[in-house]
Amino acid sequence: MFIYTVKKGDSVSKLSKEFNINQINIITDNNLIAPYTLLIGQTLIIDVDRLNYIVKENDTFQSLEEEYDIPISKIKSINNISKLTIGETITFDYKTNKYKGYVNGYCYQNLSEGTLNKYNKYLSTISPFAYKVKEDGTLDNFIIGNNIKNDNLPKVMVIANIKEKGGFSAEITHKILNDRRIKSILINNIITEIKKENYKLLNVDFEYVKEDDKEAFIEFIIDMKAKLNEINKELSVCLAPKTSSFQKGLLYEAHDYQKIGKIADYLIIMTYEWGYTYGEPMAISPLPQVKDVIKYAKTVISKEKIIMGIPNYGYDWTLPYKKGTAADSLSITEAMELALEEKVEIKHSKAYLTPYFNYKKDNVNHVVHFDDALSYKEKIELAIKENIGGISIWTLSSSNVTLTKLIDNYFEIRNF
């Protein structure tokens, strides 16, 4: 398998002949929509193990690496060559060794059965979002939809400090973490629910925890882990994407990578939302920033515990950006449908190493940032290169053929 970037004049039939692959495979592997028009800059999964190529004039190792998504070192070693000869046939080998890793997927309660079924075999666990913890230590009346009651797919109990009408609340966690009685009530309620629903893990997603509550939060994690050990269950904790222990801001200060990393079984690092609903237009998950976060995490957390977040969505901003205005969220499929509708070129940011496109509608300029086959591949390869525990998708709200195809190519799914 390799990732091909569409050029001017490309079509499905042309690529089918060039790469000796059935047109139907190109269409289904990339979820192309009839009449299967391709956009310049669009990236496609080409699912072949080997490719024979006749060297042309002006070819260089660098140009072949860029166009055919294969490292120069691999071209040289497979073909036992140190230079290119015009007219010579060389081979590109795309076979990969499977990486045994943990793949989690978050979902909302309204996830359709059809969408879930498209992800089932690519997941280790599914994490329905979320039980809301209350200031008195009780949990909201969370009902798992029948479509998520799948005994073949282990479920994670997710708890979050979310207000009744939405939004994370520092006050809810402050109240719980600093009252021993309420904390004990909450922990007992969690254990009861885990037993009742037969959850495999607990996931704690407490965000915007006050800096002054940092030690109380760690104490809660310690107490929670002790209770989970008694019933042979594991614990994962969501962490904001940090690049140092001194990172300032409400998102970061109470998330102590080193201390929490010693307690929890898994740390799901939320490596997305650099570009967010009310923020300035930018990539949701820029690769250089993700690399920096994983690099720091590995210095203080056992690498097998680190689970890297993967976004399954994009944002559409109006331009010029005005502070306080909201971007529209859209699925990866919706992003590509919009690009096709507007007949625009897909560009790739050199700063973020992710795709984006511009369009104009009703005399208003827009920019859309999202992820594609190439940026997903690079994120997955980063996880494998760093030898971390796996990845976690936020969220399974819409099917993503590109992402599941890549997971299938690279991962041997770790089962529970």
Side-chain angles (χ1 to χ4, degrees), residues 226-273:
K227 285 292 185 181
L228 290 168
N229 284 344
E230 292 176 6
I231 57 172
N232 296 314
K233 301 292 183 179
E234 293 187 302
L235 171 68
S236 66
V237 179
C238 291
L239 297 176
K242 296 174 64 170
T243 54
S244 78
S245 60
F246 306 106
Q247 196 157 335
K248 295 296 182 182
L250 186 58
L251 269 174
Y252 312 104
E253 291 170 338
H255 284 188
D256 189 314
Y257 275 34
Q258 187 169 20
K259 290 183 179 180
I260 297 173
K262 289 180 179 178
I263 305 161
D265 299 289
Y266 303 100
L267 291 306
I268 296 180
I269 302 180
M270 298 177 285
T271 39
Y272 35 75
E273 286 291 277

Side-chain angles (χ1 to χ4, degrees), residues 289-341:
Q289 284 88 329
V290 174
K291 285 181 177 179
D292 288 343
V293 171
I294 299 303
K295 181 180 178 181
Y296 164 64
K298 285 182 66 179
T299 66
V300 290
I301 301 171
S302 298
K303 63 180 183 292
E304 68 274 4
K305 291 185 174 187
I306 298 171
I307 310 300
M308 186 180 78
I310 299 280
N312 184 30
Y313 61 95
Y315 283 123
D316 180 344
W317 283 270
T318 56
L319 298 175
Y321 168 74
K322 294 180 181 178
K323 190 174 181 179
T325 57
D328 291 327
S329 178
L330 68 176
S331 71
I332 303 302
T333 299
E334 288 170 338
M336 283 308 303
E337 287 175 345
L338 178 59
L340 283 163
E341 179 184 329

Side-chain angles (χ1 to χ4, degrees), residues 102 125 156-157 194 199-204 224-225 228-229 231-237 263-266 414-416:
Y102 174 37
T125 56
V156 177
M157 179 181 181
I194 287 174
Y199 287 110
K200 298 297 181 183
L201 294 90
L202 173 70
N203 175 231
V204 177
M224 192 73 253
K225 177 59 178 168
L228 290 168
N229 284 344
I231 57 172
N232 296 314
K233 301 292 183 179
E234 293 187 302
L235 171 68
S236 66
V237 179
I263 305 161
D265 299 289
Y266 303 100
R414 181 191 162 186
N415 296 318
F416 280 82

Side-chain angles (χ1 to χ4, degrees), residues 350-369:
K350 292 182 179 179
Y352 304 140
L353 301 179
T354 53
Y356 71 98
F357 62 86
N358 298 92
Y359 73 99
K360 190 171 186 177
K361 192 167 188 177
D362 299 327
N363 212 32
V364 176
N365 292 313
H366 293 253
V367 62
V368 175
H369 285 274

Side-chain angles (χ1 to χ4, degrees), residues 384-398:
I384 294 170
K385 179 183 176 182
E386 296 297 338
N387 198 25
I388 61 175
I391 61 174
S392 178
I393 304 165
W394 181 271
T395 66
L396 310 180
S397 54
S398 59

